[in-house]
Each structure stands twice: as structure tokens, then as C-alpha cells.
Amino acid sequence: MRFASSNTIKGFAWAVGGTLAATGVFWLFRHSLDKGQASLLYLPVVIACALRFGFAPALAGALLSFLCWDFFFLPPFYTLTVSNPRDWLSLVIFLTAAMTTARLASEARRQTEAAQTRERPRSLHRGTGWADAPPRG
């Protein structure tokens, strides 16, 4: 049986906490903001999760954001029912954009880590002078 690493658990906690924080901010300003603007508050949470913790926590954040947006800000309120077809379209587009952005950001994170791993042995040699030493002879 494989257990999740502490970093992965932190990532899921970050996704939940960030989504709840974004929901709270939107809730405070719900009378002065358009319901479609909620997605703009949720996307930074998804992107931050992807960059810091990878795709799985970002995907969790995207799904939770989708559900919070529907439950709290789309009529009929406090249900997971959507009455307006335009709202369905907005939800589907948001979820697609959030998942795509999460995948791209997590891939950029993975590539950065791979490049840093490849560079690490070279920088170790530079510090010792092995790579820069003139040939003996």
C-alpha cells in the first residue's frame, strides 16, 4: 500500500484552504461582483497549487472551485442544480480552463525540477574546480 507524501497532503490542504478563501472573498463582495467573476478568483488558486504541489492537488482545487461556484453563486443558490444553460456553459468552460491550466503549470514545474536536477552535478564540479582545471601534462 502506498501512502501520500506530506507534500501531497499539504497540496490538497492548500487546494481546500485556497478555494475556501477565494469563496469567502467572493462572498464578501458578491453584491458588487458579477457571478461570472468568481472563476477569476478561483483560477489563481488552481495555478498556485499546480506550480507548488503538482497536478493532483490542482485538479482537486479545480473540482472544489467548480462545486463552490455552483453551490454558492449560481441560482438556485445552495444547491448543485443549475437552472440557466449559460451557467452550465460557464461552469464547463471554467472547469476545462482550470484543468488545462493546472496541467500546463504542473508540467512547467516538473520540467523546472528536471532541469535543476540535471544542472546540480555540473554546479558541484564547478565548485571543486574539476571542470575548470587546466589539463595536466
Side-chain angles (χ1 to χ4, degrees):
M1 182 191 293
R2 186 174 164 221
F3 293 101
S5 72
S6 65
N7 198 39
T8 302
I9 293 169
K10 280 186 211 174
F12 285 109
W14 225 81
V16 170
T19 301
L20 293 178
T23 300
V25 168
F26 189 66
W27 183 261
L28 291 174
F29 298 103
R30 70 188 178 280
H31 298 295
S32 58
L33 296 174
D34 182 58
K35 65 183 177 183
Q37 293 172 322
S39 66
L40 298 176
L41 291 172
Y42 290 125
L43 276 177
V45 173
V46 174
I47 293 167
C49 284
L51 289 172
R52 179 69 177 97
F53 301 104
F55 182 68
L59 180 61
L63 292 171
L64 185 59
S65 296
F66 173 93
L67 293 172
C68 285
W69 186 19
D70 180 18
F71 189 81
F72 291 107
F73 305 114
L74 296 178
F77 300 110
Y78 314 116
T79 69
L80 294 177
T81 304
V82 179
S83 60
N84 187 338
R86 287 185 204 161
D87 290 339
W88 267 118
L89 182 62
S90 295
L91 281 166
V92 169
I93 289 172
F94 165 76
L95 190 58
T96 302
M99 288 173 28
T100 302
T101 304
R103 172 56 71 197
L104 292 172
S106 66
E107 182 62 21
R109 174 183 180 260
R110 190 192 64 73
Q111 288 178 357
T112 300
E113 288 173 349
Q116 288 172 342
T117 301
R118 283 192 308 269
E119 182 63 26
R120 199 167 290 131
R122 290 185 197 150
S123 64
L124 290 175
H125 289 298
R126 284 187 201 127
T128 61
W130 288 357
D132 301 325
R136 294 184 185 189

